[in-house]
């Protein structure tokens, strides 16, 4: 068996493992295996094939994994409360972080509202939910376009 075929098999196995697990754990070795196979088919030395495999796999892992995890949401399951983030709602009682006031109602549930930037937000103002910490929704005033 030639080294080129060996690297193609390594790439294929890594791809199959990734498809089965969907954990972003082995896809990087697929890229490394492909590059190493190309070098092998061009009669490159074995040491260069190994360096290319390790180098390309490491670079893909370090550069692409954070991007892929963020945009593909691998391993993250949205909960009901996570679905609140980004929603636009109307303030029920004025939000004043210093006074400790602020409520908004979503469905049948009243939530404690906190201004994300510390500003006072009057009752009836439309806000966007930025994040959730415990039972507090951090909100930002929605920009009105006329």
């Amino acid at each position: 068996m030639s080294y080129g075929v060996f690297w193609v098999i390594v790439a294929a196995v890594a791809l199959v493992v990734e498809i089965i697990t969907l954990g972003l754990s082995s896809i990087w070795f697929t890229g490394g295996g492909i590059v190493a196979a190309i070098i092998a088919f061009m009669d490159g030395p074995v040491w260069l094939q190994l360096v290319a495999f390790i180098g390309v796999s490491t670079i893909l892992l370090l550069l692409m994994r954070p991007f892929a995890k963020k945009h593909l949401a691998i391993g993250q399951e949205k909960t009901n409360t996570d679905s609140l983030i980004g929603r636009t709602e109307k303030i029920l009682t004025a939000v004043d972080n210093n006074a400790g006031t602020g409520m908004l109602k979503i469905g049948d549930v009243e939530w404690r509202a906190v201004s994300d930037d510390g500003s006072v937000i009057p009752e009836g103002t439309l806000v966007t939910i930025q994040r959730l910490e415990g039972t507090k929704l951090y909100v930002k005033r929605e920009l009105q376009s006329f």
Side-chain angles (χ1 to χ4, degrees):
M1 172 171 58
S2 74
Y3 286 113
V5 172
F6 169 77
W7 289 116
V8 169
I9 292 170
V10 167
V13 168
L15 183 60
V16 168
V17 169
E18 184 62 38
I19 290 169
I20 291 170
T21 63
L22 295 175
L24 291 177
S25 57
S26 63
I27 190 72
W28 324 113
F29 302 113
T30 302
I34 291 169
V35 171
I38 291 169
I39 294 170
F41 286 128
M42 294 173 44
D43 293 324
V46 174
W47 68 266
L48 182 58
Q49 297 169 35
L50 284 170
V51 168
F53 174 75
I54 293 168
V56 169
S57 298
T58 302
I59 289 169
L60 287 173
L61 175 67
L62 294 175
L63 296 180
M64 297 303 294
R65 190 167 199 270
F67 175 80
K69 279 192 75 124
K70 178 179 177 184
H71 293 286
L72 297 177
I74 299 294
Q76 298 176 1
E77 198 170 313
K78 260 194 167 183
T79 63
N80 289 341
T81 55
D82 290 334
S83 66
L84 299 176
I85 297 169
R87 285 183 59 160
T88 301
E89 297 293 336
K90 191 181 286 189
I91 292 296
L92 193 58
T93 57
V95 176
D96 185 343
N97 294 359
N98 293 330
T101 61
M103 297 292 279
L104 60 90
K105 190 172 187 178
I106 301 174
D108 296 343
V109 181
E110 289 186 4
W111 290 84
R112 169 111 162 74
V114 177
S115 174
D116 197 38
D117 61 6
S119 64
V120 175
I121 304 173
E123 179 182 324
T125 304
L126 288 178
V127 294
T128 302
I129 300 168
Q130 303 296 306
R131 67 183 190 279
L132 170 75
E133 289 181 12
T135 60
K136 292 187 272 188
L137 295 175
Y138 284 78
V139 298
K140 183 177 181 181
R141 187 185 308 248
E142 182 73 18
L143 298 176
Q144 300 293 327
S145 57
F146 297 99

